[in-house]
Amino acid sequence: MIVNGAELCHWGIKGMKWGVRRYQNKDGTLTAAGRKHYGEGNAGEDAEPKVEYAPKRTGGRAEDYSDEELRARIQRLQMEQQYRDLQGDTNIRADDPNKELKAEKERLQLQKDVKQLRKDVYEGQSFVKTVMTNGAQKFLTKAVSGAMSYSAKQFIIKALDNPDLANAVVNGTAGKPDQKKDDKKDN
C-alpha cells in the first residue's frame, strides 16, 4: 500500500480474485485454510458461535400458516400495535411504501375525531346550560313566591294582628267559604 498525499494505492493480495474469500465459504463455513488460520472455531477464539435463525416466511395468507404459527404471528402483531400505541407512535411501519398516505389518513381521522368531540362537548354544554337556566328559573320563581308569601304573612300578622287571616292568605283559602272538617268527611 502506498499513500501519496490525497491518494491511496492498494493492489490487494497477489493472485487474489475479486469477491473470493480466502478463509470462508459462501455459506459462512470455514475453508481448510480458514480452519488452519483461525483454529477449529467458527471464525477465531473471540468470535461468538453462529446463530441459526428460522427461514423467514414468505406466505401472506392465513392458509399458509399452521395454527400455532398463526397464533404466534397474531400475538406478535397485537403486541407491536400495543407498543406503538403506548409510545404514541403512528400505526405505520417504517418500511411501508404508502407511509405518507397512511400518515395523512391518520391525520385526517384525528381531525375528524377532534371535530366530533368538540361538537359533542358543545351539545353537552348547551344541554347543561338549558338545564341550569330552567332549574334556576324554577328555583328563583319558588324563592320569590315563598319570600312574597312570607312577607305578606308577616305584614298581616304585624299590621292586622290576625294570624288566621295571614295563614288563609298564604294558603290561598282566604275568601272561600269555610268548610268544616265534619263536612269533608261526609263527602
Side-chain angles (χ1 to χ4, degrees), residues 135-153:
Q137 285 176 346
K138 287 180 183 179
F139 171 77
L140 289 175
T141 301
K142 286 187 179 186
V144 168
S145 172
M148 289 177 61
S149 297
Y150 179 77
S151 298
K153 183 177 179 180

Side-chain angles (χ1 to χ4, degrees), residues 17-163:
K17 304 289 185 200
W18 280 103
V20 177
R21 296 173 182 246
R22 289 180 5 173
Y23 302 122
Q24 192 176 17
N25 294 323
K26 287 185 180 183
D27 63 355
T29 60
L30 295 176
T31 62
R35 283 192 294 277
K36 182 178 174 190
H37 181 75
Y38 294 117
E40 287 299 317
N42 208 12
E45 294 173 9
D46 54 342
E48 293 182 16
K50 186 176 179 185
V51 178
E52 291 292 326
Y53 293 104
K56 215 173 194 181
R57 282 293 233 158
T58 58
R61 299 185 332 217
E63 295 86 27
D64 295 340
Y65 294 99
S66 67
D67 289 345
E68 199 173 294
E69 290 173 327
L70 192 57
R71 268 190 219 97
R73 179 84 172 130
I74 289 171
Q75 184 180 7
R76 175 65 186 193
L77 290 173
Q78 287 173 341
M79 288 183 351
E80 286 179 11
Q81 177 69 35
Q82 282 179 323
Y83 180 78
R84 284 192 299 270
D85 289 345
L86 290 173
Q87 292 294 325
D89 295 339
T90 61
N91 298 326
I92 304 166
R93 296 178 74 102
D95 59 348
D96 192 346
N98 296 325
K99 185 169 46 174
E100 291 84 18
L101 289 174
K102 289 183 179 181
E104 182 67 14
K105 180 183 175 190
E106 280 188 13
R107 189 184 65 74
L108 291 174
Q109 184 62 42
L110 284 174
Q111 283 180 345
K112 182 179 175 185
D113 293 345
V114 167
K115 191 174 183 179
Q116 183 63 40
L117 284 173
R118 284 183 181 157
K119 180 182 174 191
D120 293 345
V121 167
Y122 177 75
E123 288 174 358
Q125 287 174 340
S126 298
F127 173 74
V128 169
K129 186 176 180 181
T130 303
V131 167
M132 293 299 286
T133 302
N134 291 343
Q137 285 176 346
K138 287 180 183 179
F139 171 77
L140 289 175
T141 301
K142 286 187 179 186
V144 168
S145 172
M148 289 177 61
S149 297
Y150 179 77
S151 298
K153 183 177 179 180
Q154 291 301 316
F155 174 76
I156 292 172
I157 290 173
K158 287 183 182 178
L160 302 176
D161 196 26
N162 190 347

